[in-house]
Amino acid sequence: MAAERGGCCLEAVPLPPEVRESLAELELELSEGDITQKGYEKKRAKLLARYIPLIQGVDPSLQAENRIPGSSQATAAVSKQQKSRSTNSRDERFRSDVHTEAVQAALAKYKERKMPMPSKRRSVLVHSSVETYTPPDTSSASEDEGSLRRQGRITSTPFQSHSSVEPWLNRVIQGSSTSSSASSTSSHPGGKPAAASSAAAAAATVLADLMAHAQLGVPVNSRVSSKIQQLLNTLKRPKRPPLKEFFVDDFEELLEVQQPDPNQPKPEGGQMTVLKGEPLGVVTNWPPSLLAALQRWGTTQPKTPCLTALDTTGKAIYTLTYGKLWSRSLKLAYTLLNKLTSKNEPLLKPGHRVALVFPNSDPVMFMVAFYGCLLADLVPVPIEVPLTRKDAGSQQIGFLLGSCGVTLALTTDVCQKGLPKAQTGEVVTFKGWPRLVWFVMDGKHLAKPAKDWHPQVRDASADIAYIEYKTSKEGSAMGITISHASMLAHCHALTQSCGYSEAETLTNVLDFKREAGLWHGVLTSVMNRMHVVSIPYALMKVNPLSWIQKVCSYKARVAVVKSRDMHWSLLAQRDQRDVNLSSLRMLIVADGANPWSISSCDAFLNVFQSRGLRPEVICPCASSSEALTVAIRRPPDLGGPPPGKAVLSMNCLSYSVIRVDTEEKLSVLTVQDVGQVMPGANVCVVKVDGTPYLCKTDEVGEICVNSGATGTAYYGLLGITKNVFETIPVTAAGVPVSDQPFTRTGLLGFIGPDSLVFVVGKLDGLMVVNIRKHNADDVVATALAVEPMKFVYRGRIAVFSVTVLHDDRIVLVAEQRPDASEEDSFQWMSRVLQAIDSIHQVGVYCLALVPANTLPKAPLGGIHISETKQRFLEGALHPCNVLMCPHTCVTNLPKPRQKQPDVGPASMIVGNLVAGKRIAQASGRDVTQLEDNDQARKFLYLADVLQWRAQTTPDHPLFLLLNSKGTVASTASCVQLHKKAERVAAALMEKGRLNVGDHVALVYPPGVDLIATFYGCLYAGCTPITVRPPHPQNLATTLPTVKMIVEVSKSACILTTQGIMKLLKSKEAATAVDIKTWPTILDTDDIPKKKVANIFRPPSPDMLAYLDFSVSTTGILAGVKMSHAATSALCRSVKLQCELYPSRQIAICLDPYCGLGFALWCLCSVYSGHQSILVPPLELESNVSLWLSAVSQYKVRVTFCSYSVMEMCTKGLGTQTDVLRMKGVNLSCVRTCMVVAEERPRIALTQSFSKLFKDLGLSARSVSTTFGCRVNVAICLQPNRLRKLAEQGTAGPDPTTVYVDMRALRHDRVRLVERGSPHSLPLMESGKILPGVKVIIAHTETKGPLGDSHLGEIWVSSPHNATGYYTVYGEEALHADHFSARLSFGDTQTVWARTGYLGFLRRTELTDASGERHDALYVVGSLDETLELRGMRYHPIDIETSVIRAHKSIAECAVFTWTNLLVVVVELEGSEQEALDLVALVTNVVLEEHYLIVGVVVIVDPGVIPINSRGEKQRMHLRDGFLADQLDPIYVAYNM
C-alpha cells in the first residue's frame, strides 16, 4: 500500500510477473525448509528493492501482499467482516497498517513481565453497559482485515514471571531502557544507561530491605502479599541510577527538574520565511456579497436546484431551488424583524444573535434559517440539538448562548416536538442555558412580507455575519465571529482553489452547520449556483456506501467527506460492483490534516481506482475553526504540484524536530501533505510556547495564517482573542514579520518541499511530558494497533493529559467490549503500556476501561474528550478496570532526604543557642507552692479518703448514672459507696479466698457497681483491673480481648454481674475462647451485707494501686502500673486544674475502662467530693442527645467527652438543633467542654461541633482538648484562662491554633506559616499543662534536648507518671526507658517518661493568672504510627485528610506501609460502580500534596476500617486483615 512506501509517488506499483514468480519460489523454499528465515528476508528484500525505494521505515517482510489492489485475501475477509461490523469496528481515523505492524514488532521485543492483576469483588464485574450494542457511530469503523496481516501478533500467553532479577540487570547494563532497545542505544552512544533514558523511572529503586519489615503473625504467603511481592518485583527494575547521597535542608523541597538530554535532536535548518499564497483572482461579475449572489440566483435562476435532502433510505425527499431559498429566506427575515414582539417592542433588532437548532437530517430548513437571519441583519449561531438536560458539553453551549445574548432559537416543528418539555408543555431550560423563545419556522408560522418591505442587500462589510462555536481543550465553548467580508473572501478563495464553476453538483457528507460542511455545502455553493446533495449522518450509519452511490447517480463533480466515510465505504465492497467514480474531479478529505487519514486515502484509492477514481482526485485539506480553510491540495489541472509524503521519526517529532526516519523502524509517523496555502493568504509556522518566533525549516510549530478570509475574534473575549486567537510572529531578532496580526490555527505542522503544508497534529491534542511533546491521536493509534478487534468496543479510545505534580500525565480511557473477560482486559492494558512505551518512549499514567457505550459522545458520535477528562477528574467516569502507573511515570519527585548521622545532641544545643532559640521545655504550676484548703491531702490513700467522706458527709451525693431515656438509673452517696465497697471486700476474702496483692478483673458495664467494686478491691488489698465487658452480639471479636487482659494481668478472680457471668460461660463464648480456663468468677448482684473486720492499708505509697490496660492504635495491649502515690497525685492535679470542689457538678460521657476516662469516673469524685453525672457513651446509640440534654438539665459547668461522642453528636444532631432548642436544651452554662484523647487534636471536628451547637448557647471558647498517654494519663487539661500579653482591645486570633508547614514537619522541623498558605496544616494546642507536670521535647534518636522550632518526642516528668508497664513475658527491659529516660546532654539528672508522641512547644504571647508567659504544647502524632518514606516522616492522619477530601464518596480512609509501599484503604459510601473512580483521585491527591506514590489502593465497604473505643483508627489491625485477605475489598488496585 502507498501508506508503507516512503516515496512521493501516489499509486501502488504493480510488480512485473517475473518478480512475482521469483517471490512465489522463495515462499515455497521457505515453507519446505530449504532456506532460513533470514536468507528468505534478505533475498526477498533484494527482489523488491527496485519497487520500494524508501522502505527503511518498515521491515520489508511485513508488507508483501497488501499492495495488490482487491487482493483475494481482502475479498475473503469481507463477508465475515460485514457480519461483525457493528461490534468490532475500530476507529478508522487511526488506521495504519504500518503502524499496526510496528506495534506488534515492538511488543514482540518485550520480555513479558508479570504484573499483579487488580482484584475485584464479583458484584463489580457485573455492571455492564447502558445499552450494549448500537449501530456504528462516526468515531469508529471496522477494520479492513484484508489489509492487516497478523504475523506480528503475540499470542496472548500469560506473563511469565522472572524467578530472578538478573535478566533486568543485564538489560540495563547493556544500555536498554524499558523502551525499545533501538531508541536507547541510538540516543545514548556508548550504550551506557542514561539518567533520562526512559520516561519510566521507578521511584521504588531502594527495595533492598523489602521484606525486612515483614511483621510477625502475618501470613506472608497469602494472596495479597504475593501480589504485592509481584508488584515489588515489577518495580525492582532499575530505571535510573540511584541518587547521590546529600541532604536537602531547606524547606522548599525542590521537585526534580528534568535535565535536557544532551543528545536530543535539535533543529538545524535556517529560519523559515512567510509563505505567500497565489494572489486572489479578480473576476468582474463576482457579487459584492453572498446575499447579493443569493438575490441574483433567486431572481434570475429560480428553478435551478440548490439543495437536495435525503431520508434514511437514501431517497431524495425534497429539492430546494434557488427561487424557493430566496423567497423563504425573505419571509423568515420579515417575520423575525416585524412579527415577533415582547412588551410591544420588537424582540429582535439588527445585529442580535439568534440560535439555530436543527438536526443533521434537515439541511433545507437550516439553509433557509441561515440566509433568513443574514437578510434580517441578524447573526446566526448554529448549535447542536440538545437531546437531554445532561448532554456532554451542553452546559458550555448554554454559557456561550448566554454570553452572546441569545434570546431566540429557530428550529423545525419536528425538532421542537422532540425536545424535552417541562410540565407547562414548554421546552425545558437546559442546565446553564439562558431563557430562550423557541420559534418554529415551518411555512405556516411565516408571514408574507409587506409590499413595501425590501431587505437591504449591502456589500460585504466587517460586521459579524455568523458565529461558529468550538470547544476548547478544557471543554469551554467559544464563539468565533466571522464577518461578512471574511465569509465572502473565503468563498472566493475556495472557488479559486477548488475551481468551482456554476451549476456543478457537489455531494456533502459532513455536518452542514459548521466548518467544511458549511463552507462548501451552504456558502460557497450558493455563490457559484451549485447543486448540493446532502447525505445525512443517519443514512451513512445504515448504508456507508450511500455517498458513493449518490456521486454516481447525480454525476457529482465534487464530494466533501471525512476519512471515516472513505473507510466505511470500503467495508461494503460487495455493493460496489456497479459503482463508477469517473465523474469526480475532486474528493475533498476534510480531515486530511489528521496524520492517520493517509491510510484511509490509500486504501480507498486501492479499491476504487478500478472503478474510475483517478489518483489525483483525492484532495486532503486542513482547516480550523479560527482560520477557516488553511490549505487544500489542488488537482494538477488546477496547477497543484505532485503530492508529497514523509516518513518521520516519532522521537524527533517529540522534540518538535523533523527528521526523515532512517534507522528506528518502529516509531515512525507517515504523513501526507494537505496541499498549498489558500489564495491570498500568508502563512508561517511559529514556536508553540512563549514568544511566537518563526520556526526553523526543519522544526514543527503552530501554523498561523494572515488573510482576509479568517475568523476575526472569540466573541466577547477580548483578552483571549489578543493572546490566543491572534499573534504577531517575530523573527529570531525579535522583528515582527508583519504589522497585521496572524490568526493561530491550532494545527501543528511544517512547510515541506514545493511549499506543501504538512500537519502532524493539533494543539488541542498536544501533551507535553517532561519537555517532550506527544500527540493524543498518535497514542490512540498505537493503542488501537495492539489488538483492537478482540477488545476495544468499536475503537472508542480517548487520550488526554492531566496535570499532576507540575507535569502532564497521559491518561488513556477505552470502552471495552461487553464480552471481555477480566484477564483479557488486564492483558490488553499491560500490552498497551508496553506498546506506548516502545513506540513513543513515554509512560501512561492511568489506563482506564469503561463499559461499552458509556463515554460521553460528541454531537456526531465521536468521543467528547473534554467531558471525558472532566469526568475523570471529578471521579464520575465509573471505569470497570483501572491500571495506574505512577511509579513508572512520575520522575520529578523531590530527592529523598538523607539523614545526617553525625549531628550530636551537644551541637544541637549550641546550634539552638546560636540561633537564639530557647530549649523547648515547659511546666505546670508548682504543686508544693499551691496553698489550697484541700482536706484530702491529709490522706495518702484513696481508700482512706472514701472512709473519711463516709464519716464526715455521709449523704453527700457523689454519682448519678443516667440511662438512655435520660432518667436517673442509680445514684451513690459517700456512705452508700463505702458500704457497697465493704460488702465486695468481704466477698473477695471469703468467697474468693484472695490474698493481699492478688489481681482482680472487674468486668462491668459503665455504672456505680464498677466504682464500688474498685474500692472494694482496695479495701481488700487486691489490685483491680477494669475490663470492658464483651459485646453479646459480637463475642467473636470482643471476648478474646477480655480473655487476653484477664490472662496477661494474671487476674486471680473476675468480679461481674450475673448476666455477664452467664455470657462468659455460655456455649457461644466457647466458640471464641476456652471457657474452662477462666479464673474464679464471682457475681456481685446479691452479695450479703457484711462488714470487713479491718480495711487494708498499704504499707507504702509506692505499692501498686491498680493496673490500667488498653489497646494502643498500633494494636499492642499494654497495661501500666499505677501506685497509690501516683493515684493521689493524679487526683490532686486534676482537682487543682479544673477547680473541683464538693459543691461542683461535672458531666462525664466517657468509657470508664482506662486512661483519664477511668480516673474521672472512679477516682476524682471520691478525692475532690464533687458530684459526677455519668453518661455511658453506649447509651448515645439509642439517644444521641442524651449527653447534651443532661448537661443542660443539670446546668453543668464542666463536662468531658471523647471524639467518638463528639462525632456522634455532630453527625446525629446536625439537623436537630431547632428541635433541641424547642425542648429547652441550653448549653450557655458550659464553661469547659474537654475532649479526652491520646492523639493530635481533631480541629475540624471540634470546630464543627462548636459551630453546630453555638445556636444552643455553647461558647466556642469553651471547647478544648486534653492530652494523656500510657505513661501519664493526664499531661494537659483545661483551656487556660489567658490574657493577651499587651492587653490591647484587638481580639487576636484564637490563641490555641497555629499553622505549620507540612513539608517542614516531614523533616522534623516546625515552621509557622500564615493561615491558608499552601501546604499549611492547622494544629491546636492540647490544653494547659497540669500542676506538677514538666514537659521537654527530646530528639528521638540522640535523646538530646531540642529547641523551640524542632519536632521531637514529648517527655514528661510528674508525680503522677505511671511506674512502668505490667507485662507477662518480662519484656520490661525493652520498655524500661519509657519510664526512666534521662537526657543525653544538659539536665542529665531528671528522670523522664517517654510518651511515644511527637510534638513541639511554643512560647506564646499570652499570660496565665500568675502573670507567667504561657507555653503551649502541640501534639503532632504517635511515633509508632509515623510512616518513614523516602527518608521523611509522615503522619498517617495528614495523608488520610487529603484522601478524604478527594471525592465525596470517600467516607473514611486509613493508610499504612507494607514493604516500603504505601497502602491506602478507603471506605466507599456510594454505589460500587464508583469504586474505581477513586483509584486515580487517591493517587493524584497523595502525589500532589505529599509527594508520595501510592503503591496499593484498597476500596472497601463503610465500617471496615477498625476503630477503638476512643474513636482512633486501628491501622495495624487493618494491615493484618488486608494481608491475611480478610477485608472482602470491593477493589484492590496495584499501582505500577
Side-chain angles (χ1 to χ4, degrees):
M1 273 195 171
E4 282 95 314
R5 300 202 332 280
C8 282
C9 48
L10 191 71
E11 295 175 62
V13 183
L15 289 176
E18 64 271 21
V19 176
R20 287 195 195 175
E21 255 172 61
S22 317
L23 278 176
E25 272 168 39
L26 264 183
E27 301 266 32
L28 189 69
E29 280 180 49
L30 180 68
S31 63
E32 293 183 347
D34 298 342
I35 183 173
T36 63
Q37 177 75 29
K38 205 164 183 183
Y40 162 76
E41 279 167 22
K42 214 169 180 177
K43 288 187 170 176
R44 186 162 176 267
K46 219 171 186 173
L47 278 172
L48 294 173
R50 303 217 327 271
Y51 305 96
I52 308 174
L54 271 173
I55 195 120
Q56 297 100 321
V58 71
D59 179 348
S61 65
L62 295 181
Q63 28 109 239
E65 293 94 331
N66 309 5
R67 295 172 44 262
I68 302 139
S71 74
S72 57
Q73 192 184 356
T75 41
V78 169
S79 54
K80 183 171 100 223
Q81 214 25 69
Q82 207 53 39
K83 292 192 195 93
S84 59
R85 193 176 95 225
S86 60
T87 55
N88 306 3
S89 52
R90 141 180 172 199
D91 196 330
E92 78 321 316
R93 289 174 302 177
F94 307 105
R95 258 196 68 256
S96 157
D97 309 331
V98 184
H99 200 65
T100 304
E101 301 293 10
V103 168
Q104 298 310 325
L107 284 174
K109 282 188 165 179
Y110 251 84
K111 281 225 175 68
E112 301 211 329
R113 62 180 204 252
K114 182 97 168 116
M115 298 191 193
M117 216 177 105
S119 46
K120 181 187 286 192
R121 189 185 285 172
R122 300 318 305 163
S123 56
V124 185
L125 302 181
V126 183
H127 88 272
S128 70
S129 69
V130 185
E131 28 167 344
T132 314
Y133 290 101
T134 60
D137 63 23
T138 31
S139 75
S140 62
S142 61
E143 185 55 83
D144 174 4
E145 278 213 338
S147 64
L148 258 186
R149 310 234 0 254
R150 307 269 167 181
Q151 294 170 344
R153 279 293 134 87
I154 301 170
T155 50
S156 37
T157 48
F159 295 143
Q160 288 92 37
S161 60
H162 287 292
S163 51
S164 73
V165 186
E166 283 136 42
W168 298 123
L169 296 175
N170 300 345
R171 279 188 53 194
V172 172
I173 293 156
Q174 291 155 11
S176 153
S177 66
T178 49
S179 48
S180 59
S181 50
S183 66
S184 55
T185 43
S186 61
S187 53
H188 320 301
K192 292 194 294 291
S197 71
S198 151
T205 42
V206 206
L207 290 164
D209 54 341
L210 281 188
M211 301 308 276
H213 307 302
Q215 300 293 326
L216 298 172
V218 174
V220 178
N221 58 355
S222 77
R223 194 176 83 209
V224 176
S225 39
S226 62
K227 282 194 175 166
I228 291 183
Q229 194 49 54
Q230 228 170 296
L231 175 58
L232 290 170
N233 292 342
T234 311
L235 298 177
K236 248 184 212 164
R237 309 179 332 168
K239 294 212 181 158
R240 60 175 179 186
L243 295 155
K244 295 185 187 66
E245 294 199 12
F246 63 93
F247 179 59
V248 180
D249 203 350
D250 73 282
F251 299 115
E252 289 306 325
E253 295 171 301
L254 298 168
L255 291 176
E256 208 173 318
V257 179
Q258 211 58 30
Q259 294 308 315
D261 175 0
N263 304 317
Q264 76 182 45
K266 296 186 175 60
E268 292 152 9
Q271 182 176 303
M272 73 161 299
T273 50
V274 176
L275 180 63
K276 293 190 170 6
E278 65 200 71
L280 200 52
V282 181
V283 181
T284 44
N285 66 343
W286 263 5
S289 71
L290 204 52
L291 289 176
L294 174 63
Q295 183 176 28
R296 173 170 153 196
W297 305 131
T299 49
T300 64
Q301 304 270 352
K303 294 273 191 296
T304 315
C306 165
L307 176 72
T308 298
L310 307 174
D311 65 9
T312 47
T313 62
K315 279 207 204 66
I317 37 175
Y318 186 81
T319 295
L320 181 72
T321 59
Y322 277 94
K324 274 271 185 272
L325 176 59
W326 172 245
S327 63
R328 284 200 195 172
S329 304
L330 276 180
K331 267 188 179 176
L332 178 62
Y334 176 75
T335 309
L336 290 176
L337 288 178
N338 300 292
K339 297 296 177 194
L340 297 178
T341 55
S342 130
K343 302 185 183 131
N344 298 329
E345 282 284 302
L347 186 64
L348 298 170
K349 297 196 173 76
H352 277 192
R353 272 76 52 206
V354 174
L356 267 48
V357 186
F358 292 89
N360 286 317
S361 54
D362 202 341
V364 172
M365 288 300 233
F366 173 81
M367 202 158 179
V368 170
F370 191 88
Y371 281 106
C373 287
L374 293 187
L375 279 172
D377 235 350
L378 299 169
V379 176
V381 185
I383 57 167
E384 305 306 330
V385 178
L387 299 175
T388 64
R389 302 195 65 163
K390 288 201 190 75
D391 273 8
S394 153
Q395 195 170 348
Q396 292 296 337
I397 300 287
F399 289 140
L400 172 71
L401 296 179
S403 62
C404 290
V406 171
T407 52
L408 180 84
L410 294 181
T411 188
T412 64
D413 191 37
V414 178
C415 183
Q416 200 264 356
K417 287 198 170 90
L419 290 172
K421 306 287 189 300
Q423 266 104 7
T424 54
E426 289 177 12
V427 177
V428 294
T429 301
F430 297 96
K431 192 174 176 192
W433 283 42
R435 279 196 67 85
L436 295 179
V437 174
W438 290 83
F439 180 70
V440 174
M441 46 162 283
D442 294 48
K444 57 176 183 286
H445 300 287
L446 300 184
K448 206 169 174 194
K451 289 273 191 311
D452 53 351
W453 184 82
H454 294 291
Q456 293 174 302
V457 178
R458 288 199 294 264
D459 290 0
S461 64
D463 295 340
I464 301 176
Y466 69 98
I467 293 177
E468 176 167 312
Y469 84 90
K470 77 160 234 178
T471 310
S472 74
K473 189 176 180 179
E474 281 68 50
S476 49
M478 314 210 276
I480 293 156
T481 58
I482 287 96
S483 67
H484 284 275
S486 300
M487 182 167 69
L488 183 70
H490 188 228
C491 290
H492 280 189
L494 280 179
T495 303
Q496 183 170 328
S497 53
C498 299
Y500 283 139
S501 57
E502 277 187 37
E504 269 192 310
T505 306
L506 172 149
T507 51
N508 178 22
V509 192
L510 306 186
D511 178 2
F512 49 76
K513 299 193 289 298
R514 51 184 302 125
E515 297 195 339
L518 176 70
W519 307 327
H520 290 270
V522 175
L523 305 177
T524 312
S525 59
V526 167
M527 186 160 131
N528 293 298
R529 191 171 62 84
M530 291 160 67
H531 177 197
V532 176
V533 180
S534 187
I535 317 272
Y537 171 56
L539 170 57
M540 282 296 289
K541 276 170 115 170
V542 181
N543 173 12
L545 262 187
S546 52
W547 71 271
I548 296 185
Q549 291 159 351
K550 295 304 160 205
V551 168
C552 294
S553 54
Y554 284 92
K555 297 280 179 286
R557 306 270 291 135
V558 181
V560 190
V561 298
K562 279 195 169 171
S563 52
R564 56 137 204 258
D565 306 317
M566 300 164 77
H567 186 75
W568 276 9
S569 57
L570 292 176
L571 306 179
Q573 283 173 329
R574 61 174 180 186
D575 311 328
Q576 297 165 356
R577 284 186 297 278
D578 44 355
V579 161
N580 185 338
L581 295 179
S582 56
S583 65
L584 275 184
R585 63 177 188 79
M586 267 189 106
L587 175 57
I588 297 171
V589 186
D591 60 348
N594 180 327
W596 300 97
S597 63
I598 181 167
S599 44
S600 289
C601 293
D602 288 346
F604 188 78
L605 180 62
N606 249 352
V607 172
F608 287 101
Q609 196 166 355
S610 58
R611 301 198 171 85
L613 180 70
R614 301 189 303 286
E616 63 274 14
V617 163
I618 297 180
C619 297
C621 73
S623 62
S624 84
S625 305
E626 288 86 350
L628 283 48
T629 309
V630 177
I632 187 164
R633 195 187 285 172
R634 329 271 206 281
D637 55 337
L638 290 173
K645 176 174 298 184
V647 180
L648 305 175
S649 150
M650 202 93 96
N651 182 46
C652 296
L653 277 181
S654 71
Y655 293 104
S656 297
V657 178
I658 299 152
R659 290 285 177 272
V660 171
D661 186 78
T662 49
E663 59 208 20
E664 219 174 288
K665 303 198 168 44
L666 296 177
S667 27
V668 294
L669 180 68
T670 307
V671 285
Q672 61 183 351
D673 70 286
V674 287
Q676 294 163 297
V677 303
M678 297 298 283
N682 297 325
V683 169
C684 64
V685 182
V686 301
K687 290 198 188 322
V688 175
D689 306 314
T691 316
Y693 289 111
L694 288 178
C695 285
K696 295 184 172 163
T697 49
D698 60 346
E699 189 176 8
V700 172
E702 185 176 9
I703 299 172
C704 298
V705 179
N706 160 249
S707 88
T710 64
T712 40
Y714 291 128
Y715 185 86
L717 301 170
L718 292 174
I720 303 184
T721 298
K722 273 273 167 285
N723 300 324
V724 179
F725 189 93
E726 53 188 47
T727 185
I728 297 189
V730 293
T731 61
V735 182
V737 298
S738 148
D739 49 356
Q740 295 287 306
F742 277 63
T743 303
R744 289 176 183 267
T745 63
L747 299 173
L748 301 173
F750 59 96
I751 309 296
D754 284 337
S755 300
L756 291 175
V757 178
F758 287 85
V759 175
V760 296
K762 291 198 174 73
L763 208 53
D764 275 357
L766 191 66
M767 305 180 291
V768 184
V769 182
N770 265 342
I771 72 174
R772 287 179 61 216
K773 301 184 173 70
H774 303 276
N775 205 325
D777 283 350
D778 298 352
V779 177
V780 170
T782 301
L784 275 173
V786 171
E787 248 180 293
M789 306 309 244
K790 289 199 193 140
F791 191 75
V792 179
Y793 178 66
R794 303 202 2 244
R796 292 173 60 81
I797 293 184
V799 169
F800 50 87
S801 62
V802 294
T803 305
V804 181
L805 204 63
H806 314 294
D807 200 358
D808 274 3
R809 314 283 176 198
I810 296 179
V811 179
L812 189 152
V813 185
E815 288 189 4
Q816 71 174 35
R817 293 260 307 280
D819 49 354
S821 72
E822 284 297 284
E823 284 68 29
D824 291 349
S825 317
F826 196 65
Q827 174 111 7
W828 183 80
M829 288 158 93
S830 20
R831 296 183 48 171
V832 165
L833 292 178
Q834 293 168 359
I836 291 173
D837 191 21
S838 276
I839 297 225
H840 304 274
Q841 285 102 56
V842 70
V844 176
Y845 175 69
C846 175
L847 216 161
L849 297 174
V850 298
N853 270 321
T854 55
L855 285 180
K857 291 193 172 78
L860 283 182
I863 297 170
H864 200 296
I865 303 284
S866 56
E867 182 77 12
T868 304
K869 175 174 172 175
Q870 195 54 38
R871 286 190 195 176
F872 172 78
L873 291 171
E874 285 169 359
L877 204 55
H878 307 332
C880 48
N881 257 315
V882 157
L883 184 57
M884 301 279 303
C885 306
H887 288 103
T888 331
C889 296
V890 180
T891 54
N892 62 337
L893 284 172
K895 308 225 161 61
R897 169 186 176 204
Q898 307 284 340
K899 296 240 172 82
Q900 295 294 71
D902 48 350
V903 180
S907 36
M908 280 280 205
I909 286 200
V910 173
N912 279 315
L913 293 173
V914 171
K917 289 176 181 158
R918 60 184 206 107
I919 295 301
Q921 57 187 30
S923 51
R925 293 172 292 170
D926 187 346
V927 188
T928 51
Q929 309 283 297
L930 289 170
E931 279 311 315
D932 62 345
N933 50 359
D934 186 351
Q935 298 293 309
R937 269 182 79 187
K938 300 196 293 280
F939 305 102
L940 278 175
Y941 306 107
L942 221 51
D944 296 355
V945 179
L946 179 56
Q947 293 165 60
W948 167 68
R949 289 207 185 280
Q951 284 159 7
T952 52
T953 55
D955 299 326
H956 177 68
L958 285 179
F959 297 104
L960 205 85
L961 177 75
L962 300 182
N963 62 17
S964 61
K965 296 191 179 65
T967 51
V968 176
S970 60
T971 61
S973 63
C974 299
V975 73
Q976 285 168 329
L977 189 64
H978 167 64
K979 285 191 169 152
K980 260 194 176 163
E982 278 194 317
R983 297 201 325 240
V984 171
L988 282 172
M989 290 171 187
E990 290 167 21
K991 273 195 191 166
R993 301 216 171 91
L994 294 189
N995 304 320
V996 168
D998 276 349
H999 296 180
V1000 179
L1002 312 180
V1003 186
Y1004 286 94
V1008 175
D1009 281 353
L1010 179 73
I1011 302 165
T1013 49
F1014 175 81
Y1015 286 99
C1017 289
L1018 296 188
Y1019 281 6
C1022 297
T1023 306
I1025 299 113
T1026 47
V1027 184
R1028 177 192 306 277
H1031 196 292
Q1033 270 80 53
N1034 192 3
L1035 281 180
T1037 49
T1038 55
L1039 192 59
T1041 311
V1042 175
K1043 184 90 165 102
M1044 200 167 154
I1045 295 176
V1046 170
E1047 282 174 2
V1048 171
S1049 63
K1050 297 184 188 157
S1051 295
C1053 169
I1054 296 175
L1055 290 185
T1056 184
T1057 64
Q1058 263 171 11
I1060 293 174
M1061 179 168 157
K1062 281 190 188 129
L1063 190 63
L1064 294 181
K1065 294 180 172 177
S1066 67
K1067 276 193 203 139
E1068 293 79 25
T1071 58
V1073 297
D1074 179 1
I1075 57 172
K1076 294 193 182 69
T1077 55
W1078 288 120
T1080 319
I1081 303 180
L1082 300 178
D1083 82 79
T1084 53
D1085 285 1
D1086 30 47
I1087 37 176
K1089 292 189 179 176
K1090 273 198 178 173
K1091 274 197 174 178
V1092 225
N1094 54 348
I1095 289 172
F1096 175 78
R1097 284 212 63 181
S1100 126
D1102 295 333
M1103 186 177 163
L1104 188 60
Y1106 68 94
L1107 290 177
D1108 180 339
F1109 270 89
S1110 84
V1111 180
S1112 75
T1113 49
T1114 47
I1116 297 163
L1117 175 70
V1120 293
K1121 301 185 281 199
M1122 285 292 283
S1123 67
H1124 284 280
T1127 307
S1128 305
L1130 171 65
C1131 292
R1132 173 159 160 73
S1133 214
V1134 171
K1135 170 186 193 283
L1136 293 169
Q1137 186 81 327
C1138 301
E1139 298 172 2
L1140 301 173
Y1141 309 110
S1143 56
R1144 279 276 160 86
Q1145 266 186 334
I1146 70 169
I1148 304 169
C1149 189
L1150 291 168
D1151 275 321
Y1153 301 105
C1154 61
L1156 188 56
F1158 164 78
L1160 289 165
W1161 266 73
C1162 297
L1163 311 177
C1164 294
S1165 271
V1166 170
Y1167 184 91
S1168 313
H1170 59 270
Q1171 184 185 6
S1172 294
I1173 295 151
L1174 306 174
V1175 183
L1178 206 63
E1179 305 286 6
L1180 264 67
E1181 287 178 14
S1182 46
N1183 175 7
V1184 194
S1185 60
L1186 176 63
W1187 168 52
L1188 294 177
S1189 307
V1191 166
S1192 161
Q1193 182 186 342
Y1194 292 96
K1195 300 206 169 29
V1196 172
R1197 290 175 66 177
V1198 175
T1199 181
F1200 295 87
C1201 71
S1202 65
Y1203 280 123
S1204 27
V1205 165
M1206 200 171 250
E1207 197 159 27
M1208 279 168 85
C1209 291
T1210 327
K1211 284 184 175 164
L1213 299 171
T1215 52
Q1216 299 181 29
T1217 44
D1218 293 344
V1219 181
L1220 292 176
R1221 198 187 295 107
M1222 305 271 286
K1223 288 186 180 166
V1225 175
N1226 181 354
L1227 302 178
S1228 53
C1229 53
V1230 178
R1231 264 181 62 184
T1232 317
C1233 165
M1234 281 176 268
V1235 192
V1236 172
E1238 301 189 7
E1239 58 178 302
R1240 175 199 300 180
R1242 301 189 199 173
I1243 297 199
L1245 182 55
T1246 51
Q1247 284 178 346
S1248 53
F1249 179 81
S1250 312
K1251 272 192 194 133
L1252 191 57
F1253 298 109
K1254 193 174 81 178
D1255 299 353
L1256 298 179
L1258 182 70
S1259 143
R1261 297 209 51 144
S1262 64
V1263 179
S1264 70
T1265 58
T1266 68
F1267 175 61
C1269 60
R1270 293 283 67 208
V1271 299
N1272 185 322
V1273 298
I1275 298 171
C1276 304
L1277 263 185
Q1278 174 77 7
N1280 5 353
R1281 286 177 270 290
L1282 300 168
R1283 300 194 302 275
K1284 273 305 248 331
L1285 198 59
E1287 277 280 51
Q1288 293 151 348
T1290 56
D1294 187 88
T1296 56
T1297 303
V1298 295
Y1299 291 84
V1300 299
D1301 184 327
M1302 204 154 24
R1303 291 166 305 179
L1305 270 190
R1306 292 171 203 154
H1307 294 274
D1308 292 343
R1309 297 257 196 306
V1310 178
R1311 176 170 171 240
L1312 297 186
V1313 291
E1314 290 299 311
R1315 174 181 179 175
S1317 62
H1319 299 280
S1320 64
L1321 172 73
L1323 290 175
M1324 187 157 133
E1325 76 167 294
S1326 288
K1328 187 173 159 83
I1329 296 169
L1330 265 77
V1333 176
K1334 284 201 297 194
V1335 170
I1336 191 160
I1337 305 294
H1339 193 286
T1340 48
E1341 278 142 29
T1342 65
K1343 299 188 182 169
L1346 291 175
D1348 251 359
S1349 67
H1350 283 263
L1351 185 70
E1353 188 179 7
I1354 302 168
W1355 287 14
V1356 59
S1357 159
S1358 106
H1360 64 257
N1361 276 7
T1363 48
Y1365 284 122
Y1366 179 85
T1367 45
V1368 186
Y1369 308 109
E1371 286 178 8
E1372 285 92 340
L1374 281 180
H1375 305 294
D1377 69 334
H1378 284 201
F1379 292 91
S1380 52
R1382 293 173 192 264
L1383 288 173
S1384 59
F1385 194 81
D1387 165 16
T1388 52
Q1389 295 313 302
T1390 313
V1391 175
W1392 301 88
R1394 298 176 58 176
T1395 62
Y1397 282 82
L1398 292 172
F1400 61 94
L1401 280 163
R1402 182 173 158 268
R1403 174 146 281 186
T1404 65
E1405 296 298 301
L1406 303 163
T1407 56
D1408 54 25
S1410 60
E1412 289 286 305
R1413 288 279 284 280
H1414 164 64
D1415 293 312
L1417 173 66
Y1418 293 89
V1419 176
V1420 177
S1422 152
L1423 190 57
D1424 286 349
E1425 293 256 281
T1426 55
L1427 312 173
E1428 283 269 342
L1429 289 163
R1430 309 186 74 253
M1432 289 171 278
R1433 209 195 293 275
Y1434 287 86
H1435 294 272
I1437 185 73
D1438 297 327
I1439 300 176
E1440 288 157 1
T1441 307
S1442 301
V1443 169
I1444 289 171
R1445 276 204 318 267
H1447 192 273
K1448 62 180 187 309
S1449 298
I1450 298 178
E1452 187 52 273
C1453 164
V1455 303
F1456 52 83
T1457 51
W1458 175 248
T1459 59
N1460 277 352
L1461 286 177
L1462 178 63
V1463 181
V1464 178
V1465 180
V1466 291
E1467 290 184 356
L1468 168 71
E1469 201 168 38
S1471 70
E1472 282 189 359
Q1473 66 169 19
E1474 288 181 1
L1476 283 83
D1477 285 312
L1478 306 181
V1479 178
L1481 298 182
V1482 167
T1483 309
N1484 290 356
V1485 77
V1486 176
L1487 256 175
E1488 283 276 335
E1489 298 186 9
H1490 303 278
Y1491 305 151
L1492 286 177
I1493 293 179
V1494 177
V1496 185
V1497 182
V1498 187
I1499 294 156
V1500 296
D1501 297 311
V1504 168
I1505 295 172
I1507 287 183
N1508 66 13
S1509 56
R1510 294 189 295 275
E1512 298 159 341
K1513 293 173 199 165
Q1514 304 283 74
R1515 297 183 183 90
M1516 294 306 111
H1517 274 319
L1518 181 68
R1519 185 190 69 186
D1520 297 346
F1522 169 64
L1523 293 167
D1525 225 6
Q1526 294 162 347
L1527 299 186
D1528 182 27
I1530 299 171
Y1531 191 79
V1532 182
Y1534 299 95
N1535 286 349
M1536 302 303 299

